[in-house]
Amino acid sequence: MNIEPLLELNSCVKPFSAKDFFEDCPWLNIPPSRKGEILIEPLYPRGGLPGGSAQAAPKVSKLAALAAARKKKENDKSTGDGSKPLTSSIALLDKLSITGKPSTEGKRTTQETSDYAEKRPKIGSSESSLLASPVNREPRRYPAKKPKVPSPVPIQPPDIDKTPDPIEDEPEIPPPIAAAPSAFARTMLGTTHASNNPARTRIIPAALSFSPYALNLTESNPFAGPSPDDIVANAQSSSKGMNKGSKTKSKTAMNDKGADGIVEAVCKIAIDDTPTAKSKNLDVLAEYGRSKKKKAANFVVIGHVDAGKSTLMGRLLFDLGVVDHRVIDRYRKEAEQIGKSSFALAWVLDQGTEERNRGVTIDIAMNKFETATTSFTILDAPGHRDFIPNMIAGAAQADFAVLVIDASTGSFESGLKGQTKEHALLVRSMGVQRLIVAINKLDTVAWSRARFEEIEQQVSAFLTAAGFQPKNVSFVPCSGLTGANIVSRAPDPAAAWYTGPILLSQLETAEPIARALEKPLRLTIGDIFRASEQYPLSASGRIDAGSVQVGDKVLACPSGETAAVKGLEVDAEPADWAVAGQNAVLHLSDIDAAHLKLGDVLCPPSAPVRSVKSFVVKILAFEHVTPMQVDVHRGRLHASGRVVALVAVLDKGSGAVVKRKPRLVKPGEVARVRVEVDVEGGVPLEALGRVVLRAGGETVAAGLLE
C-alpha cells in the first residue's frame, strides 16, 4: 500500500484552532454538540437539612434521596454497559477533548463529511506541512471526542455517565423558546450566519437565557388575574354580603378578594361568648312592696382623728355577736406584738396593713349588722385631714351620721378646732339631717357628768349654727374600749346618772330618709373590681334613686357606653332586683373596664345623666371664697375646676339676693357661684345634686346644684 499520499495529506493538515472551529456559529446560537459544561465542585456541600457535621455529607430529605436514586438509575440505563460513571473531572476532560473515539449517538452524515472536507486545508499547502513530521506525543489517558459538525437536526448533548451528588441535583429546565434575533439585535450584536435549519436559530442555550431576546412564552399572563379595581369591588361586594348574612355570597367573596381581604374580614369579626342574661320583666316596686325585708339604713361614723371611731364600732359588732371572740383574741395578740394592744377592736374594721401599722383609718370601711327591726350598714370614715375626700365619699352614701367626740382632757378642744367641726359641716352639706353624738372615752374622766354637760353645751351651739335642728341631735355618753352604754348600760356606778337611751337604741330610732323609688335609676360607682371568672367586671355602689333588675341595659356616664346587667347582688347576696337606698353590686357585660371609673353614674339609656363642664351652685362658705382654683367632689367623683364668677350673696332664711357680683364670699355666708371643671367631656351632674369645693387641703364651701 502506498502511504506517501497519506503522509503528504498529514503534512498539509492545518492545526486545530478554536477560531476556525466556531467560525460558522453565530452568537448566542452555539450547537449543543460543541458546548462544554465546566463544573467547579463547591468547596462545601450545598443545601441539606439541619444537623450533621461539616466533614460528612449533608443530610437530605427522603424525597431528595428518592429523586437522586431514580436519576442514578436512569443514568445507568442510558450508558448501557452499566460501568461505573466517570468523575466530574473526567467528564470535564471528555467535554473539552476534540479527538478520540466519536460519540455513538450522533454520527456524521455524508453531507456533513463533505462540508467538513471542503474547509480542511488542501494537500501541499504550507499549513499541511506542519503535520508531515512525526510528533512524539504522550498517549492520552482519557478518550477524546472528535469534533462534530452541526447537522440540520439539533443534536442533544450525550448524557454524561456521572452520578451527581444528591444535594447538587437540580431539576432540568427545558430551554426557553424564542424568536430569531431582530434587525436591531443583528446590528448591535453582529451579523448572524444563516442556517439552513430555521429551528436552529430558535434554540437559545439555558446559560444565556438572560438575553433580552430570550422571551419565555411559558410564563403566566400578568393580565390573566383580576385588576386592582376588581379586587376592591369584590371586597366591597363581599362586605355587603356579610352584613346581609348571606352565607353563599360571603363565601364567594372571600375566595375572590385574596389574602388581604380575608385578613380584613376576619379582623371585623367580633366574638362575644358571654351569655346575655334574660330579663324577667319584674315589677320591681310591687316586688319591693310585697317583700318583708327589714328597713335598711346606712350611717357614717365621723369625728376627729384618734377619737376612737373604729374601736367604738368594733365593740358594737363584737357585743352583737357579728365578730367571734376568737377573732378578737387573734387581733389582740397581733396588736400586742407591735405594741398596740388597744387597737384590737379597731382592727375589725381596719383591715389594711398600712392602716394597722399607722393606727389610722385611710379609706371607708364597711360592715353590716342587724337588729330586730333594721339592717344597718356601717361606713367608718377616716378622721385624718389628708383623707377628707374618702370621708366625703362615705358621707354621700349615709342616711344619718354618728359623730364621735373624745371626752379626755385636751382632746375635745383640739378636735373641735380640727376635723370635728369640718366633718359636721360636711355631712350637713351632703344632706344629712339626723346626727347622734357619741361622747367617747368618758371613763377616762371617771364618768364626770360635768364634763359631759360641758361638751354637750359647746357642741350643741356649734351644730345649731351649722344648720342642724336640735330635735335631730342626741348625745350618748359611752366607752368604746369597755363597751359601756353601747349595747348594754355601763356597769360602773359612776355612770348611773345617765338614764337616757344607749347607742344601739338611738340607732334604731333613727328613721332613714325617703327613697326616690319611682325616679330613673341613679347609681354612683364606688368601686370597680373583678368578682370571679363568671363575672369579670363588677361595679358596686349605693342606689340613689330608681330600681334595677337582672337583664336591664344601663348607660355609663360620662363615657356613654351601654352595658347589660348580667348579675346582681344586694348586701353580698344574689338578688333579682334592687331599689334605691340599697348597696348593690352590678355584674356587667358588653362593656370594657376602660369606660368605667370611680364616680361615674349608671343610669337607664332612656334617661341619661347630662355631662356638664359649667354649672351654678348655691354654696355655704366655710372659708373665704373668691374666683379661684378648686377641687369638685361628689361622692367618689373628684374633678379639678375653678370658680369663674360670684353671682350673688343670698339671705340664709329666704334665699333672696342680698348683693350681686360680690368681690368675695365670707365664711358663713350663702352665695350663688359659677364653677367650671377642667375635664374633657364634663362630669355627670344633675340639678339638686350636692357637691363640695376644696382648695389647698381645706374645705372652702359645699352646696346644692341649681
Side-chain angles (χ1 to χ4, degrees):
M1 180 178 178
N2 189 7
I3 61 172
E4 292 181 1
L6 296 177
L7 296 175
E8 186 178 358
L9 178 63
N10 293 334
S11 62
C12 298
V13 174
K14 184 179 178 180
F16 173 76
S17 173
K19 177 181 178 182
D20 298 336
F21 183 74
F22 292 103
E23 184 178 3
D24 60 337
C25 298
W27 286 18
L28 308 179
N29 197 13
I30 301 175
S33 59
R34 301 191 185 185
K35 292 189 301 180
E37 181 181 359
I38 301 177
L39 179 63
I40 301 176
E41 295 184 359
L43 185 61
Y44 299 102
R46 294 178 298 175
L49 298 176
S53 61
Q55 293 79 13
K59 295 182 179 180
V60 296
S61 62
K62 294 182 179 179
L63 187 60
L66 183 61
R70 185 178 300 171
K71 189 171 184 66
K72 178 180 179 181
K73 185 176 180 180
E74 292 178 357
N75 292 338
D76 293 343
K77 289 183 179 180
S78 62
T79 53
D81 55 354
S83 59
K84 185 177 180 181
L86 301 176
T87 61
S88 57
S89 301
I90 297 176
L92 177 62
L93 293 176
D94 289 344
K95 288 272 186 176
L96 298 179
S97 62
I98 58 174
T99 60
K101 189 176 181 179
S103 176
T104 59
E105 294 187 1
K107 296 184 178 181
R108 296 181 181 178
T109 60
T110 306
Q111 182 66 25
E112 292 175 356
T113 307
S114 60
D115 294 341
Y116 181 70
E118 293 178 359
K119 297 178 182 179
R120 295 183 61 180
K122 297 182 180 180
I123 299 175
S125 62
S126 61
E127 296 176 355
S128 63
S129 61
L130 297 175
L131 299 177
S133 60
V135 180
N136 295 329
R137 297 180 181 179
E138 295 182 0
R140 292 182 180 272
R141 296 184 180 181
Y142 311 105
K145 294 184 180 180
K146 293 184 178 181
K148 296 183 180 180
V149 180
S151 59
V153 180
I155 301 175
Q156 299 295 334
D159 295 337
I160 300 176
D161 192 8
K162 171 181 174 295
T163 303
D165 191 35
I167 304 302
E168 299 180 1
D169 284 345
E170 296 181 357
E172 297 182 359
I173 302 175
I177 302 175
S182 62
F184 176 77
R186 290 194 298 271
T187 302
M188 297 297 297
L189 302 177
T191 304
T192 59
H193 293 270
S195 176
N196 296 331
N197 189 358
R200 178 179 177 182
T201 61
R202 296 177 61 84
I203 300 177
I204 298 179
L208 301 177
S209 59
F210 58 84
S211 173
Y213 310 106
L215 179 62
N216 189 1
L217 301 180
T218 61
E219 294 182 356
S220 60
N221 187 3
F223 299 98
S227 66
D229 294 338
D230 294 337
I231 295 176
V232 174
N234 292 335
Q236 293 176 351
S237 61
S238 63
S239 62
K240 293 180 180 179
M242 292 178 64
N243 295 334
K244 293 179 180 180
S246 176
K247 296 183 179 180
T248 305
K249 292 183 179 180
S250 176
K251 191 175 296 183
T252 304
M254 293 287 284
N255 294 333
D256 293 341
K257 64 184 179 179
D260 296 338
I262 293 175
V263 172
E264 182 180 358
V266 170
C267 293
K268 293 180 179 179
I269 298 176
I271 300 176
D272 187 7
D273 55 354
T274 304
T276 304
K278 295 183 180 180
S279 177
K280 297 182 179 180
N281 296 323
L282 300 174
D283 187 354
V284 178
L285 298 182
E287 293 289 335
Y288 177 69
R290 287 193 297 266
S291 64
K292 297 181 180 180
K293 294 184 178 180
K294 299 178 181 179
K295 61 179 182 180
N298 297 354
F299 66 91
V300 60
V301 184
I302 58 175
H304 190 63
V305 62
D306 291 336
K309 301 182 295 297
S310 299
T311 302
L312 182 65
M313 292 299 105
R315 169 61 71 173
L316 175 64
L317 295 174
F318 176 66
D319 291 345
L320 290 174
V322 178
V323 181
D324 191 79
H325 67 90
R326 290 174 293 185
V327 177
I328 299 299
D329 292 341
R330 186 176 75 251
Y331 288 164
R332 186 174 287 108
K333 291 180 181 178
E334 294 176 357
E336 289 176 355
Q337 293 177 357
I338 61 175
K340 298 179 180 180
S341 59
S342 61
F343 288 4
L345 292 171
W347 285 9
V348 175
L349 293 172
D350 296 341
Q351 298 290 331
T353 303
E354 185 178 0
E355 291 179 329
R356 294 184 175 182
N357 292 335
R358 296 179 58 178
V360 296
T361 303
I362 296 176
D363 202 355
I364 290 292
M366 298 181 63
N367 212 318
K368 292 182 63 65
F369 69 93
E370 293 185 2
T371 62
T373 58
T374 311
S375 175
F376 291 98
T377 300
I378 302 174
L379 301 170
D380 186 19
H384 200 279
R385 59 178 299 177
D386 294 343
F387 310 114
I388 291 295
N390 295 336
M391 177 267 164
I392 295 173
Q397 307 178 42
D399 298 322
F400 61 95
V402 175
L403 176 62
V404 181
I405 295 177
D406 189 354
S408 57
T409 304
S411 299
F412 163 68
E413 289 75 13
S414 62
L416 189 61
K417 298 177 182 179
Q419 271 59 58
T420 300
K421 178 180 178 181
E422 184 177 7
H423 283 196
L425 292 173
L426 284 173
V427 295
R428 183 65 188 94
S429 302
M430 299 301 293
V432 175
Q433 298 180 0
R434 177 78 168 94
L435 185 65
I436 301 174
V437 182
I439 302 178
N440 192 25
K441 302 183 182 180
L442 203 60
D443 57 331
T444 59
V445 292
W447 293 97
S448 173
R449 184 172 184 176
R451 181 64 171 173
F452 172 78
E453 291 176 350
E454 178 188 0
I455 295 173
E456 181 181 10
Q457 182 180 2
Q458 295 187 29
V459 174
S460 296
F462 160 70
L463 294 178
T464 302
F468 286 97
Q469 297 181 6
K471 65 178 182 179
N472 293 329
V473 179
S474 58
F475 294 82
V476 178
C478 60
S479 174
L481 193 61
T482 62
N485 290 340
I486 297 177
V487 176
S488 59
R489 291 196 174 274
D492 194 340
W497 53 265
Y498 178 73
T499 58
I502 59 177
L503 180 61
L504 183 60
S505 300
Q506 294 282 6
L507 295 175
E508 289 180 329
T509 57
E511 292 292 334
I513 60 176
R515 311 296 186 188
L517 299 177
E518 297 182 356
K519 291 186 177 181
L521 173 67
R522 297 292 184 266
L523 186 147
T524 303
I525 297 178
D527 192 11
I528 302 172
F529 57 95
R530 178 186 178 92
S532 62
E533 293 292 337
Q534 183 180 3
Y535 302 124
L537 180 60
S538 301
S540 64
R542 184 172 183 262
I543 302 178
D544 301 324
S547 61
V548 64
Q549 60 178 311
V550 176
D552 285 354
K553 295 289 184 178
V554 294
L555 182 68
C557 295
S559 65
E561 296 293 328
T562 305
V565 181
K566 187 179 178 182
L568 190 64
E569 293 183 11
V570 176
D571 297 333
E573 294 182 0
D576 294 332
W577 51 268
V579 297
Q582 294 180 336
N583 299 309
V585 176
L586 273 62
H587 304 297
L588 304 177
S589 62
D590 301 335
I591 190 173
D592 192 86
H595 301 301
L596 297 176
K597 61 180 181 296
L598 299 182
D600 287 359
V601 179
L602 298 180
C603 56
S606 58
V609 178
R610 188 168 61 95
S611 298
V612 297
K613 297 193 67 175
S614 176
F615 55 89
V616 177
V617 57
K618 184 171 65 174
I619 62 170
L620 172 63
F622 303 150
E623 303 291 342
H624 288 89
V625 178
T626 60
M628 57 193 297
Q629 293 287 336
V630 294
D631 292 332
V632 181
H633 295 267
R634 185 191 60 80
R636 287 287 185 181
L637 175 65
H638 175 207
S640 61
R642 60 189 180 276
V643 178
V644 295
L646 304 179
V647 180
V649 176
L650 308 177
D651 181 70
K652 287 186 178 182
S654 62
V657 177
V658 176
K659 183 179 180 180
R660 296 184 181 275
K661 297 183 179 179
R663 293 186 176 181
L664 60 87
V665 178
K666 298 178 181 179
E669 292 183 342
V670 177
R672 183 179 290 115
V673 300
R674 178 174 293 277
V675 180
E676 291 183 358
V677 294
D678 301 330
V679 178
E680 184 179 358
V683 292
L685 294 175
E686 287 185 308
L688 303 180
R690 298 181 181 271
V691 296
V692 176
L693 304 181
R694 289 175 55 83
E698 299 287 341
T699 302
V700 296
L704 194 68
L705 271 72
E706 294 185 343

